[in-house]
Amino acid sequence: MCNFPKELLKGYKDYLRKRSDQDKELLRQLAIEGQKPKTMIISCCDSRSIPEIIFDKKPGELFIVRNVANLVPPYAPDGKQHGTSAAIEFAVHGLKIKNIIIMGHGLCGGIQAALNENFTPLEKGDFIGKWLNMLKPLAKEINNNSQLSAEEKQILMEQRSIINSIKNLQTFPYIAKMQQEGDIKLFGAWFDIKEGELKILERGEKFISPF
């Protein structure tokens, strides 16, 4: 007897039923020709923020990497395992990506944890705590601003961490070189889950509505 989650099997049946001939042909074409996306999105693994839905894109159009709090660590070729950095390397050198977007979102649990000065590890290994350590200086700066409410600190941290990740992207030598030569562009975006509103980073400084 199959123990696979029933709601997912039902969803798959619905997917098969709803597929159009055009969808089938697209997947056949992708299988034969391979993927050729022009844009990479580094987003949070939060189930409420889904780039493919937000941007209304089909299979093969976006190369998406998801991690806790949509972070990019600094370039560190130290021989250790770096999942996000490996994906960036593949996207840039393997897929010849032209755009990289760091996409954060409102109500981010990872950002909330980074701001929490009394954060307690979820388990002995504390992978999340160590992952969020790269945000410690930023969290300290924002927490020291007594004029901001808890909600304002959360939103500011979500958006400032996007800017921080873009700066970390620029520590990758090949990305810095390609950006300088105009061969790749870096963007920031923030999605308000509650309102369904997207804001984009303007001139590396503030987030505004694109319309």
Side-chain angles (χ1 to χ4, degrees), residues 10 13 18 36 47 49-50 53 72 96 98 104 130 143 150 153-154 159 173 186-187 194 203:
K10 180 183 180 301
K13 285 184 179 179
K18 294 175 183 177
K36 297 177 183 177
S47 61
S49 178
I50 309 170
I53 292 178
V72 174
K96 310 300 181 185
K98 297 299 181 184
K130 291 172 183 174
N143 276 326
K153 288 181 180 179
Q154 173 82 16
Q159 296 184 347
L186 309 181
F187 301 92
K194 190 189 301 182
R203 297 179 183 176

Side-chain angles (χ1 to χ4, degrees), residues 140-189:
K140 183 177 181 181
E141 178 188 336
I142 291 175
N143 276 326
N144 285 340
N145 191 335
S146 59
Q147 296 181 338
L148 298 176
S149 67
E151 183 179 2
E152 288 171 334
K153 288 181 180 179
Q154 173 82 16
I155 294 174
L156 181 60
M157 182 74 173
E158 289 164 353
Q159 296 184 347
R160 289 281 300 278
S161 71
I162 294 169
I163 297 172
N164 189 65
S165 283
I166 291 176
K167 290 179 179 177
N168 285 345
L169 268 176
Q170 292 168 329
T171 67
F172 288 66
Y174 52 89
I175 290 181
K177 183 175 184 292
M178 291 174 69
Q179 186 182 27
Q180 186 177 15
E181 295 174 353
D183 294 326
I184 199 166
K185 294 181 180 180
L186 309 181
F187 301 92

